[in-house]
Amino acid sequence: MHPDMRYTLNIRGRLMDLSRPVVMGILNVTPDSFYAASRVETEEAIAIRARQIADEGGTIIDVGACSTRPGSTPVSEEEEMARLRQALPIVRREVPDAVISVDTFRPDVARMVVEELGADIINDVGPLPGGTTAASCTVGRTTCAAHPAVPYILTSQEPTLRDTLLFFSKEVDRLRSKGHKDIILDPGFGFGKTVEQNYELLSLLERLQVMELPVLVGVSRKSMIFKPLGITPDEALNGTTALHAVALMKGASILRVHDVKEAVQTVTLIENCKSRKLKL
């Protein structure tokens, strides 16, 4: 982050300060997410994972109920809603002060989790098959248009920095025309990109600061790590930590992760480097 930029998010009247990067812990209520250890389905497992994220220093709990891994077949909208209706009250009960984000690409799911379940952030990962996306709110028909006070994560599936910046510029203008103030940019590592394109974008990540909006990075245990190393997602923690350090030095405000404790430790060390003007 540029030293003069101090981002905040308005979470239902409370300001979240992003001058120090925060960690978003992943809680998947799915049986088929690409990283098996991230899957939780029973009430007990959801409760344990929610407490773990909070206890390890996670600021945001990102709940997903429909896998978006490459090659997956999305569950029905009804099933996604049912999973979220089960999970979010458990998270609220176990961690009352948690900031809850919901990871979805469906407009009606986005509306439901805000209006019915009190979600704090919409994490729009779309579009997926058929072009459906929670960003459809930008034409005024779903939650984001109806609730512009809810922070919104805008994900790009564009393959290059140039295309990513063009996409963000266009979509941010549309969101702002609907009254949105708190917009977070996710360059979409692993979405619509080759391994090489992922690394090219990461190498230029600081250039997204031209948008003057906080940047979320989600590289945790993804194929851009385990494919070059010839390992599995289960073995990709060390590589994930290495790329988290790079992302933080290049201005990331939020890390979306499976391994919260290790990510929080990485934030602490990189912040120490920055405070001492250490050039990496």
Side-chain angles (χ1 to χ4, degrees), residues 147-159:
H147 302 280
V150 176
Y152 180 81
I153 300 170
L154 174 64
T155 303
S156 169
Q157 297 191 23
E158 302 297 331

Side-chain angles (χ1 to χ4, degrees), residues 26-30 33-41 49 258:
I26 298 168
L27 192 161
N28 285 325
V29 284
T30 60
S33 297
F34 80 92
Y35 177 47
S38 73
R39 306 168 190 165
V40 293
E41 296 181 80
R49 177 58 178 162
H258 298 96

Side-chain angles (χ1 to χ4, degrees), residues 77 104-110 122-139 141-144 152-157 167 171 174:
E77 185 171 293
T104 188
F105 64 94
R106 290 178 166 126
D108 288 341
V109 174
I122 291 298
N123 183 8
D124 182 357
V125 298
L128 286 185
T132 304
T133 167
S136 300
C137 65
T138 57
V139 297
R141 69 184 185 86
T142 68
T143 297
C144 297
Y152 180 81
I153 300 170
L154 174 64
T155 303
S156 169
Q157 297 191 23
F167 169 81
E171 293 302 316
R174 293 176 68 188

Side-chain angles (χ1 to χ4, degrees), residues 23-84:
V23 172
M24 169 190 281
I26 298 168
L27 192 161
N28 285 325
V29 284
T30 60
D32 56 347
S33 297
F34 80 92
Y35 177 47
S38 73
R39 306 168 190 165
V40 293
E41 296 181 80
T42 67
E43 179 175 346
E44 181 182 10
I46 293 167
I48 290 171
R49 177 58 178 162
R51 291 195 301 268
Q52 179 189 25
I53 290 171
D55 291 346
E56 292 184 355
T59 302
I60 305 169
I61 299 176
D62 191 47
V63 183
C66 178
S67 177
T68 55
R69 64 180 174 82
S72 64
T73 300
V75 298
S76 69
E77 185 171 293
E78 292 74 19
E79 176 62 21
E80 184 180 4
M81 286 183 175
R83 293 174 179 179
L84 290 166

Side-chain angles (χ1 to χ4, degrees), residues 118-256:
D120 299 306
I121 298 173
I122 291 298
N123 183 8
D124 182 357
V125 298
L128 286 185
T132 304
T133 167
S136 300
C137 65
T138 57
V139 297
R141 69 184 185 86
T142 68
T143 297
C144 297
H147 302 280
V150 176
Y152 180 81
I153 300 170
L154 174 64
T155 303
S156 169
Q157 297 191 23
E158 302 297 331
T160 68
L161 175 68
R162 177 182 178 277
D163 291 339
T164 297
L165 284 170
L166 288 172
F167 169 81
F168 282 151
S169 179
K170 176 183 176 182
E171 293 302 316
V172 167
D173 282 348
R174 293 176 68 188
L175 285 164
R176 283 177 169 158
S177 74
K178 300 297 180 182
H180 286 268
K181 294 182 174 63
D182 287 337
I183 303 167
I184 302 147
L185 306 179
D186 180 351
F189 292 104
F191 289 89
K193 301 167 183 67
T194 65
V195 169
E196 291 75 15
Q197 287 169 335
N198 281 313
Y199 279 99
E200 180 71 14
L201 186 55
L202 181 62
S203 73
L204 301 171
L205 190 70
E206 69 277 7
R207 298 191 186 181
L208 294 183
Q209 296 298 328
V210 71
M211 298 294 300
E212 298 186 355
L213 291 169
V215 173
L216 179 152
V217 167
V219 297
S220 183
R221 297 183 181 267
K222 287 186 174 178
S223 61
M224 66 181 289
I225 297 168
F226 64 77
K227 283 185 177 179
L229 297 176
I231 58 177
T232 67
D234 290 345
E235 302 169 296
L237 175 57
N238 186 58
T240 296
T241 299
L243 296 195
H244 281 164
V246 172
L248 291 167
M249 291 301 297
K250 288 179 170 288
S253 294
I254 303 172
L255 298 179
R256 181 179 181 273

